[in-house]
């Protein structure tokens, strides 16, 4: 065979061999027919950071263009339809449509009957792009990506590479030409190769027996725009002599005379393989452990070569930010055990395990895996509905019924369609309630979601952190979200800075349709969900999920998460027995050997008596990983034996505490762990004197938010806790006054020493943020139940003294929860009127405005301002209430006065502050179309300002302008809604 017989369309007529099969060529008639067809790729606008424009429907395309022949192997690659879709920026999609998605264009004349036949057997979720046949040549394409093989990890890597290039504005054409079954599609792909600026060829061990891969290597090498990516290979492994002679373990199986499978000349095959060694500028190697680095380097190099330096600069800045803020905690070097759990998590998320995990995977294969299982949304396509109906009519076998998402306004749950129908038909009732409970859906392997369940302190966060560090290169980024119910929505929206999306409230215009508050919040969440549902893989870790429903509006947490089955994976850790009707991976205790190894640490030569004492401690501590870590730290830091430590813990007295609530159950049943905490506090006090700073920092941590706490802020709150020893406190104040300005360095040093002691004894854990530490939920709970008076007051005063800052917004919210009593919580901290005014002006108003406009959390911001108004009104009511003083009783001719009369300036400032809050609430009501409520609020504000300032004051006139705007909008609404 000669290379001159190629039917490949090339502008520069570069000679190379282009077989249609390993043994045959196209006929002359077919070749002339292929060359006569012309296709024009309409170039659309470049991709923005928010995504690629949606492709337009296809119209007026010749039916012969997309002649397809579906194969049985192709039906197993439904999920690869995203990878094979071509960027809408070049106007064509799914270059090998028949092989991966088995779908046809809706606009193809003459093929609608054939399409209906296909749709009964194959899923279709493909939107075509526009193709025009008016031009004789294709326009330019930035990158052509060629691959060969159907391994899930290979497809995931190629899918990610294409999506990353498209997000950065580079048009891509992806194809596995070995899967093409139509000569017309070969012509399309070959023309795309010819007009591409660069050609990426993903090479695996099996690629060298594929004739199309060899052809692509020779073609792009000839044009000097080849970009090879060695997948699970290295450039040094791809030597002709090693491959042919089967040298080394790598080529013992895949080596040999691969040029025979190529179907062409041995010389041409050797030239193609030798050409890889001459590509010195591109040495991209992708193996398990560097996917992210390889893809980002490829995108950066391609952007630089294409003259788009802004893309390279943006990626560099993004990478620097990720390196600092990706993980909440540093990796635990002392992580022990959990090999089986890590392997099972990988299996659940990816549907496969690789590398060293295969050794720990042997016992997982015995677990039955449900085949032919599909997960879709209740609002699926008509094709999916017909497919499900057909399966139900034929009768499904046990374990093979499809699982769909049942979506309603009140509940979203995953269940079996067959089970739900039979369950709804037969509803056994007893006293108005169902007699049997819904069964949880089994763990879904390869669907991208995993749930880890276990009690507090057992090591759920450590497991998730270790998994994230091990597999972070398989994802573009690890997105860590705190799952505490009051803070989860804010934590989820905080991802906007990494995803580079805008979640703020849209600009307001009287002419545009005004969205309600709920609609605006859903729009902000949908923007984040949309970014997570792209083909770029992220790992979303929701740590310590407290409830399946949001605390603010009681909506399911499911509304926040992206659709399962995509490239983004989700791991949830929770104390709940079940989440979203999914069966969790229940985390068991560490084995006895692992627990002993964790407690012993570096000390391995304990006698038998001490080993027995450690076993007793292991049992009494509840076999919790947190207890093992603290015991290990005590044994490492102090010259104490395990038996003596056990005796000390048993003799430690406990304070009487009220254990109420579900969270306190673990501490109520485990008094030994509480005694262990008290031993640590005694150690701190012994090292630093009674009431040490370390102990008070632990006492204060319970009232902060669950996120990491700045050490300086925590120490400030600890210093404000009232001390029992008044004389000692007076002596310390005298010493501070004598040292004057020299007290600050010593204070900072004590803060560092105190936090270091907490970290050494594993009471706190280090954060990746410089100067931050975090505490386990059990320790925070115990510190709150300890009941030290004045701690909550000290925490609030410490937070508000720092003023408004975005560095620890969660802790400002925690202070507001204590001040204003959200939900059913009582007010825990009461402030003086002067302090309340400062909090409202300097903390509450900036926090509410930022929450509303930056994050679109309208409900939370308005609720904060409402409770703030109530607090101001209560303070105002106390001001106008008559006071009873002994001086007034002695002077009978003096009338009884009020605080407002005794301190008129403060009373006026209080009233004006309330007017400011009312005006702010009124303006925010306009953003959600609540004009009637806004009208009532602004009138109250005008009354207060008129009473104090008068009619002509600028602030009064400003409030009247707001009133006129509200009145005009309210009139427009009444005009359009009136019959």
């Amino acid at each position: 065979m000669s290379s001159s017989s190629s039917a490949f369309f090339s502008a520069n007529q570069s000679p190379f061999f282009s077989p249609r099969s390993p043994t045959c060529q196209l006929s002359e008639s077919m070749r002339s027919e292929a060359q006569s067809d012309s296709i024009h790729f309409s170039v659309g606008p470049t991709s923005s950071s928010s995504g690629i424009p949606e492709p337009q429907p296809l119209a007026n395309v010749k039916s012969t263009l997309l002649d397809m022949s579906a194969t049985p192997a192709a039906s197993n690659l439904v999920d690869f339809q995203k990878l094979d879709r071509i960027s809408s920026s070049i106007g064509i999609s799914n270059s090998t449509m028949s092989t991966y998605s088995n779908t046809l264009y809706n606009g193809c004349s003459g093929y609608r009957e054939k399409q209906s036949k296909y749709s009964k057997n194959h899923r279709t979720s493909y939107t075509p792009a526009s193709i025009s046949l008016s031009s004789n040549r294709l326009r330019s394409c930035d990158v052509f990506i060629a691959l060969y093989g159907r391994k899930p990890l290979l497809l995931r890597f190629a899918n990610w590479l294409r999506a990353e290039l498209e997000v950065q504005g580079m048009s891509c054409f992806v194809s596995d030409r070995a899967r093409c079954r139509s000569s017309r599609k070969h012509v399309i792909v070959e023309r795309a190769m010819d007009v591409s600026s660069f050609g990426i060829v993903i090479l695996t061990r099996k690629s060298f027996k594929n004739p199309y891969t060899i052809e692509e290597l020779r073609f792009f090498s000839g044009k000097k725009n080849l970009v090879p990516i060695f997948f699970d290979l290295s450039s040094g492994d791809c030597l002709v002599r090693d491959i042919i002679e089967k040298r080394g373990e790598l080529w013992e199986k895949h080596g040999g005379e691969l040029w025979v499978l190529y179907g062409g000349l041995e010389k041409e095959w050797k030239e193609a393989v030798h050409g890889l060694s001459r590509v010195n500028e591109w040495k991209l190697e992708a193996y398990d452990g560097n996917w992210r680095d390889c893809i980002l380097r490829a995108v950066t190099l391609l952007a630089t070569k294409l003259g788009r330096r802004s893309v390279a600069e943006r990626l560099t800045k993004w990478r620097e930010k990720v390196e600092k803020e990706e993980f909440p905690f540093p990796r635990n070097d002392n992580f022990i055990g959990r090999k089986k759990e890590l392997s099972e998590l990988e299996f659940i998320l990816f549907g496969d395990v690789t590398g060293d995990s295969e050794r720990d995977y042997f016992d997982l294969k015995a677990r039955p895996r449900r085949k032919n299982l599909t997960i879709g949304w209740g609002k699926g396509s008509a094709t999916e509905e017909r497919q499900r109906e057909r399966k139900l009519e034929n009768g499904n076998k046990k374990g093979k019924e499809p699982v769909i998402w049942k979506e309603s306004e009140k509940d979203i749950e995953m269940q079996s369609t067959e089970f739900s129908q039979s369950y709804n038909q037969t509803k056994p009732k007893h006293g108005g309630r169902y007699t049997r409970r819904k069964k949880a859906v089994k763990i879904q392997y390869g669907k991208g979601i995993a749930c880890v369940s276990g009690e507090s302190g057992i090591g759920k966060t450590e497991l998730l952190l270790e998994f994230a560090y091990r597999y972070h290169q398989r994802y573009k980024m690890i997105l860590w979200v705190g799952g505490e119910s009051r803070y989860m929505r804010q934590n989820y929206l905080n991802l906007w800075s990494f995803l580079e999306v805008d979640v703020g409230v849209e600009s307001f215009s009287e002419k545009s349709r005004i969205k309600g508050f709920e609609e605006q919040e859903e729009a902000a969440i949908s923007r984040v969900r949309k970014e997570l549902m792209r083909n770029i893989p992220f790992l979303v870790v929701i740590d310590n999920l407290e409830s399946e429903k949001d605390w603010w509006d009681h909506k399911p947490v499911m509304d926040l998460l992206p659709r399962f089955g995509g490239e983004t994976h989700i791991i949830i850790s929770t104390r709940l027995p079940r989440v979203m009707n999914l069966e969790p991976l229940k985390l068991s205790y560490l084995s006895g050997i692992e627990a002993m190894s964790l407690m012993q640490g570096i000390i391995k030569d304990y006698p038998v008596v001490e080993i027995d004492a450690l076993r007793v401690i292991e049992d009494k501590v509840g076999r919790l990983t947190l207890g093992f870590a603290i015991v290990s730290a005590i044994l490492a830091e102090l010259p104490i034996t395990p038996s003596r430590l056990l005796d000390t813990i048993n003799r430690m007295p406990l304070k009487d505490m009220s254990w109420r609530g579900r969270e306190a159950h673990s501490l109520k049943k485990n008094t030994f762990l509480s005694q262990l905490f008290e031993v640590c506090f005694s150690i701190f006090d012994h090292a630093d004197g009674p009431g040490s700073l370390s102990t008070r920092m632990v006492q204060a941590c319970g009232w902060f938010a669950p996120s990491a706490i700045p050490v300086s802020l925590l120490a400030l709150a600890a210093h404000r806790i009232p001390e029992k020893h008044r004389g000692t406190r007076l002596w310390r104040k005298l010493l501070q006054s004598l040292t004057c300005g020299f007290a600050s360095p010593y204070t900072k040093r004590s803060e560092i020493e105190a936090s270091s002691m907490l970290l050494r004894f594993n009471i706190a854990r280090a954060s990746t943020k410089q100067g931050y530490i975090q505490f386990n939920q059990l320790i925070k709970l115990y510190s709150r139940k300890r009941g030290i008076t004045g701690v909550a007051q000290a925490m609030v005063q410490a937070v508000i003294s720092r003023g408004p800052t975005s560095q620890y917004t969660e802790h400002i919210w925690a202070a507001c929860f204590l001040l204003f009593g959200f939900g059913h919580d009582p007010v825990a901290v009461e402030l003086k009127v002067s302090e309340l005014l400062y909090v409202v002006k300097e903390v509450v108003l900036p926090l509410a405005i930022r929450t509303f406009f930056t994050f679109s959390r309208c409900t939370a911001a308005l609720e904060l301002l409402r409770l703030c108004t109530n607090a101001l009104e209560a303070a105002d009511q106390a001001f106008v209430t008559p006071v009873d003083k002994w001086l007034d009783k002695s002077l009978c001719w003096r009338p009884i006065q009020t605080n407002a009369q005794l301190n008129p300036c403060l009373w006026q400032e209080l009233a004006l502050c309330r007017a400011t809050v009312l005006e702010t609430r009124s303006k925010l009501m306009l953003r959600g179309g609540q004009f009637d409520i806004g009208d009532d609020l602004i009138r109250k504000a005008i009354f207060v300002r008129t009473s104090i300032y008068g009619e002509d004051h600028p602030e009064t006139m400003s409030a009247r302008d707001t009133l006129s705007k509200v009145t005009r909008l309210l009139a427009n609404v009444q005009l359009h809604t009136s019959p």
Side-chain angles (χ1 to χ4, degrees):
M1 294 191 234
S2 172
S3 61
S4 61
S5 63
S6 173
F8 192 83
F9 180 83
S10 174
N12 58 7
Q13 297 299 325
S14 176
F16 60 90
F17 176 59
S18 176
R20 288 294 169 264
S21 68
T23 58
C24 65
Q25 297 290 309
L26 281 177
S27 63
E28 290 294 327
S29 60
M30 181 69 73
R31 191 180 305 120
S32 60
E33 183 182 358
Q35 291 182 356
S36 62
D37 290 331
S38 59
I39 301 177
H40 171 68
F41 287 70
S42 56
V43 181
T46 57
S47 305
S48 61
S49 61
S50 60
I52 309 300
E54 293 295 331
Q56 300 298 325
L58 177 72
N60 302 325
V61 180
K62 294 181 181 180
S63 60
T64 57
L65 178 64
L66 298 172
D67 186 17
M68 303 178 182
S69 60
T71 60
S75 62
N76 297 327
L77 292 175
V78 177
D79 292 336
F80 192 65
Q81 57 189 358
K82 300 177 182 178
L83 168 63
D84 208 50
R85 187 173 68 245
I86 305 164
S87 171
S88 60
S89 59
I90 61 173
I92 189 171
S93 185
N94 204 348
S95 62
T96 55
M97 288 79 75
S98 65
T99 58
Y100 288 115
S101 61
N102 293 327
T103 57
L104 296 175
Y105 288 122
N106 295 330
C108 292
S109 60
Y111 273 76
R112 293 184 180 179
E113 295 181 0
K114 191 174 181 180
Q115 179 188 5
S116 63
K117 293 180 182 179
Y118 272 94
S119 61
K120 292 180 181 180
N121 300 320
H122 303 281
R123 292 181 61 189
T124 58
S125 59
Y126 164 73
T127 305
S130 59
I131 298 181
S132 174
L133 303 178
S134 60
S135 176
N136 292 326
R137 69 181 186 87
L138 292 98
R139 297 186 182 179
S140 62
C141 175
D142 291 328
V143 181
F144 180 93
I145 303 177
L147 70 155
Y148 171 69
R150 291 173 289 172
K151 291 184 63 175
L153 294 180
L154 173 64
L155 303 184
R156 182 178 176 85
F157 177 83
N159 200 9
W160 180 6
L161 176 62
R162 176 195 58 80
E164 191 66 46
L165 288 169
E166 289 182 348
V167 166
Q168 302 302 332
M170 286 173 270
S171 56
C172 297
F173 195 110
V174 185
S175 178
D176 180 357
R177 293 197 296 152
R179 306 288 298 165
C180 293
R181 297 293 182 264
S182 170
S183 60
R184 299 287 185 156
K185 291 191 297 176
H186 277 287
V187 173
I188 295 175
V189 177
E190 290 169 355
R191 291 178 180 175
M193 288 173 58
D194 185 66
V195 299
S196 298
S197 301
F198 288 93
I200 295 179
V201 181
I202 304 178
L203 297 169
T204 62
R205 301 177 186 180
K206 297 182 179 181
S207 296
F208 296 105
K209 70 179 182 180
N210 178 33
Y212 296 102
T213 301
I214 303 301
E215 177 184 328
E216 289 152 0
L217 289 175
R218 297 189 63 217
F219 174 69
F220 290 119
S221 295
K223 294 182 64 176
K224 300 187 183 304
N225 61 353
L226 173 65
V227 182
I229 296 181
F230 301 91
F231 191 81
D232 287 339
L233 288 172
S234 66
S235 57
D237 296 329
C238 300
L239 301 177
V240 173
R241 183 175 57 186
D242 293 345
I243 298 174
I244 293 178
E245 298 179 5
K246 294 187 176 183
R247 293 190 178 184
E249 297 180 359
L250 184 65
W251 297 111
E252 284 181 359
K253 178 181 179 181
H254 301 282
E257 296 178 347
L258 298 182
W259 62 273
V260 176
L261 298 175
Y262 161 59
L265 301 177
E266 180 181 4
K267 181 181 178 181
E268 294 177 344
W269 183 87
K270 289 183 177 180
E271 289 178 357
V273 179
H274 280 310
L276 294 174
S277 61
R278 292 192 294 268
V279 185
N280 296 323
E281 191 175 1
W282 307 90
K283 295 294 183 181
L284 300 174
E285 299 177 0
Y287 48 85
D288 191 23
N290 82 324
W291 281 20
R292 182 198 298 180
D293 295 339
C294 178
I295 289 178
L296 291 180
R297 183 166 178 261
V299 175
T300 303
L301 290 175
L302 286 171
T304 304
K305 289 294 183 181
L306 291 171
R308 304 175 187 180
R309 296 184 178 180
S310 60
V311 174
E313 294 175 358
R314 183 166 64 250
L315 286 176
T316 302
K317 293 180 180 178
W318 184 87
R319 179 181 294 182
E320 293 175 354
K321 181 179 181 181
V322 167
E323 290 177 355
K324 296 179 181 178
E325 305 178 21
E326 180 176 17
F327 293 98
F329 314 111
R331 190 169 187 174
N332 185 5
D333 297 330
N334 299 322
F335 186 82
I336 294 176
R338 305 297 189 193
K339 292 184 178 180
K340 179 182 176 182
E341 288 83 354
L342 289 169
S343 300
E344 190 160 0
L345 277 179
E346 182 187 4
F347 186 44
I348 292 173
L349 294 179
F350 295 98
D352 193 10
V353 292
T354 59
D356 297 336
S357 300
E358 290 180 338
R359 295 194 298 267
D360 308 316
Y361 168 59
F362 63 93
D363 57 342
L364 299 177
K365 290 185 178 180
R367 190 164 192 165
R369 181 178 176 183
R370 301 177 66 178
K371 298 181 180 179
N372 300 334
L373 188 64
T374 58
I375 291 184
W377 290 86
K379 301 177 181 179
S381 61
T383 305
E384 294 174 352
E385 295 294 332
R386 287 194 296 268
Q387 180 184 1
R388 289 193 289 267
E389 291 175 2
R390 183 180 177 182
K391 287 187 176 182
L392 289 175
E393 290 174 1
N394 296 336
N396 291 326
K397 296 181 180 180
K398 185 177 180 181
K400 291 194 175 184
E401 66 273 15
V403 176
I404 65 170
W405 283 101
K406 182 181 178 182
E407 185 174 6
S408 62
E409 295 180 359
K410 297 181 179 180
D411 190 24
I412 297 179
E413 61 183 7
M414 195 173 74
Q415 62 181 13
S416 167
T417 50
E418 187 179 67
F419 173 76
S420 64
Q421 288 183 359
S422 62
Y423 184 77
N424 292 331
Q425 290 174 0
T426 60
K427 297 181 179 179
K429 296 184 178 181
H430 179 72
R433 296 180 180 270
Y434 296 105
T435 56
R436 69 176 174 177
R437 190 178 180 183
K438 287 186 179 181
K439 296 182 179 179
V441 176
K442 296 296 183 182
I443 295 177
Q444 304 300 313
Y445 296 97
K447 296 302 177 184
I449 180 170
C451 180
V452 179
S453 176
E455 58 181 298
S456 297
I458 200 172
K460 301 185 296 297
T461 302
E462 293 293 339
L463 176 65
L464 268 57
L465 187 68
E466 180 65 20
F467 181 87
Y469 270 103
R470 286 193 182 187
Y471 301 101
H472 72 280
Q473 283 288 335
R474 293 191 186 182
Y475 304 95
K476 183 176 181 180
M477 186 182 177
I478 308 297
L479 302 174
W480 202 279
V481 179
E484 292 78 13
S485 56
R486 295 192 180 191
Y487 305 93
M488 180 177 176
R489 177 165 294 193
Q490 181 64 57
N491 295 335
Y492 184 80
L493 291 174
N494 284 339
L495 301 179
W496 72 272
S497 60
F498 300 106
L499 301 176
E500 298 179 345
V501 295
D502 183 14
V503 296
V505 174
E506 298 177 358
S507 59
F508 177 75
S509 176
E510 296 184 14
K511 297 182 180 180
S512 61
R513 187 182 72 86
I514 300 177
K515 297 181 180 180
F517 295 130
E518 183 177 358
E519 188 177 359
Q520 294 182 41
E521 292 186 4
E522 291 178 354
I525 293 173
S526 66
R527 294 185 199 120
V528 178
R529 290 182 71 246
K530 182 179 179 181
E531 290 300 316
L532 294 176
M533 290 171 63
R534 298 189 183 278
N535 289 330
I536 298 178
F538 291 93
L539 177 61
V540 181
V541 179
I542 302 178
D543 190 23
N544 191 27
L545 181 67
E546 290 184 345
S547 175
E548 292 188 35
K549 294 186 178 181
D550 186 73
W551 185 83
W552 294 95
D553 54 12
H554 306 289
K555 289 186 177 181
V557 177
M558 177 66 198
D559 292 348
L560 304 177
L561 304 180
R563 184 180 305 174
F564 301 158
E567 300 297 330
T568 294
H569 291 171
I570 302 165
I571 305 181
I572 301 173
S573 71
T574 181
R575 298 189 300 272
L576 302 174
R578 190 174 62 185
V579 174
M580 293 184 294
N581 209 28
L582 289 172
E583 180 185 351
L585 173 63
K586 296 181 179 179
L587 198 62
S588 60
Y589 301 107
L590 291 176
S591 65
I593 298 177
E594 293 169 345
M596 294 296 294
S597 176
L598 183 58
M599 285 190 293
Q600 289 180 12
I602 59 176
I603 306 174
K604 303 294 184 182
D605 55 349
Y606 281 125
V608 179
V609 179
E610 303 300 335
I611 296 295
D612 293 339
L614 284 177
R615 290 197 177 98
V616 174
I617 293 177
E618 174 194 353
D619 184 64
K620 284 196 169 187
V621 85
R623 301 181 67 186
L624 295 180
T625 308
L626 174 64
F628 297 157
I630 296 176
V631 170
S632 174
I634 293 176
L635 295 177
E637 293 289 333
L638 301 178
I640 188 174
T641 60
S643 57
R644 185 180 175 188
L645 176 61
L646 175 62
D647 182 63
T648 303
I649 298 174
N650 288 327
R651 289 189 291 106
M652 180 60 61
L654 271 178
K655 298 181 179 180
D656 294 333
M657 301 181 187
S658 59
W659 301 107
R660 297 178 182 177
R662 183 183 61 186
E663 296 181 352
H665 177 69
S666 55
L667 283 176
K668 182 180 179 180
K669 68 177 184 179
N670 195 344
T671 57
F672 188 83
L673 185 63
S674 301
Q675 290 175 308
L676 180 60
F677 293 158
E678 289 294 337
V679 168
C680 293
F681 299 154
S682 299
I683 294 173
F684 300 156
D685 293 342
H686 179 76
D688 197 24
S692 66
L693 181 59
S694 299
T695 302
R696 285 181 290 157
M697 288 171 70
V698 179
Q699 293 172 358
C701 76
W703 300 96
F704 282 87
S707 59
I709 310 172
V711 174
S712 59
L713 183 65
L714 183 62
L716 180 61
H719 283 300
R720 292 178 179 268
I721 297 176
E723 300 180 14
K724 296 180 180 179
H725 305 283
R726 295 294 178 182
T728 306
R729 186 177 182 185
L730 180 62
W731 177 82
R732 287 186 179 180
K733 284 188 176 182
L734 180 61
L735 179 62
Q736 290 178 3
S737 63
L738 292 175
T739 54
C740 209
F742 298 99
S744 179
Y746 294 103
T747 304
K748 292 182 179 179
R749 188 177 64 181
S750 63
E751 293 174 4
I752 296 174
E753 291 175 352
S755 61
S756 176
M757 183 172 291
L758 295 177
L759 294 175
R760 293 203 315 271
F761 282 86
N762 289 326
I763 295 295
R765 64 183 310 162
S767 174
T768 51
K769 292 183 179 179
Q770 189 68 27
Y772 283 70
I773 58 176
Q774 193 158 359
F775 294 85
N776 185 274
Q777 191 66 24
L778 279 177
I779 296 176
K780 293 170 68 71
L781 179 62
Y782 181 77
S783 66
R784 295 187 67 164
K785 295 296 182 180
R786 232 169 157 236
I788 305 299
T789 58
V791 180
Q793 184 93 15
M795 177 267 177
V796 171
Q797 291 178 347
V799 171
I800 65 178
S801 65
R802 294 296 179 91
T805 176
S806 60
Q807 295 180 356
Y808 41 86
T809 307
E810 299 91 344
H811 304 300
I812 299 178
W813 272 105
C816 292
F817 290 144
L818 298 174
L819 281 173
F820 302 115
F822 283 70
H824 300 289
D825 296 343
V827 176
V829 176
E830 294 184 0
L831 299 177
K832 299 178 181 178
V833 176
S834 57
E835 295 175 337
L836 179 62
L837 291 176
Y838 174 81
V839 169
V840 173
K841 293 179 181 179
E842 302 296 333
V843 178
V844 173
L845 284 175
L847 176 64
I849 293 173
R850 184 173 184 268
T851 302
F852 189 96
F853 288 99
T854 306
F855 298 99
S856 298
R857 294 189 60 211
C858 308
T859 304
L862 292 173
E863 180 66 10
L864 175 61
L865 292 178
R866 185 187 71 83
L867 295 176
C868 178
T869 304
N870 294 342
L872 292 173
E873 289 178 351
D876 182 79
Q877 187 66 29
F879 250 73
V880 298
T881 302
V883 294
D884 189 11
K885 293 186 176 182
W886 67 271
L887 181 61
D888 297 330
K889 291 181 179 179
S890 60
L891 302 175
C892 57
W893 63 87
R894 295 188 57 182
I896 299 177
Q897 293 182 325
T898 63
N899 280 326
Q901 294 172 328
L902 296 174
N903 198 344
C905 295
L906 186 60
W907 176 78
Q908 288 186 2
E909 189 177 356
L910 177 64
L912 293 174
C913 182
R914 184 163 62 93
T916 302
V917 175
L918 291 172
E919 184 182 15
T920 304
R921 291 176 61 192
S922 177
K923 291 180 179 180
L924 296 183
M925 289 296 176
L926 300 184
R927 297 278 182 164
Q930 304 289 338
F931 303 129
D932 51 348
I933 301 177
D935 181 82
D936 181 60
L937 293 173
I938 194 61
R939 290 182 185 276
K940 292 180 180 178
I942 292 174
F943 174 77
V944 173
R945 289 183 178 175
T946 304
S947 302
I948 298 176
Y949 286 142
E951 294 283 348
D952 299 330
H953 195 273
E955 292 193 10
T956 306
M957 297 176 65
S958 174
R960 289 193 178 277
D961 292 339
T962 304
L963 176 61
S964 62
K965 186 176 182 179
V966 174
T967 305
R968 182 173 64 255
L969 292 172
L970 185 59
N972 291 337
V973 171
Q974 293 175 352
L975 179 63
H976 288 86
T977 56
S978 60

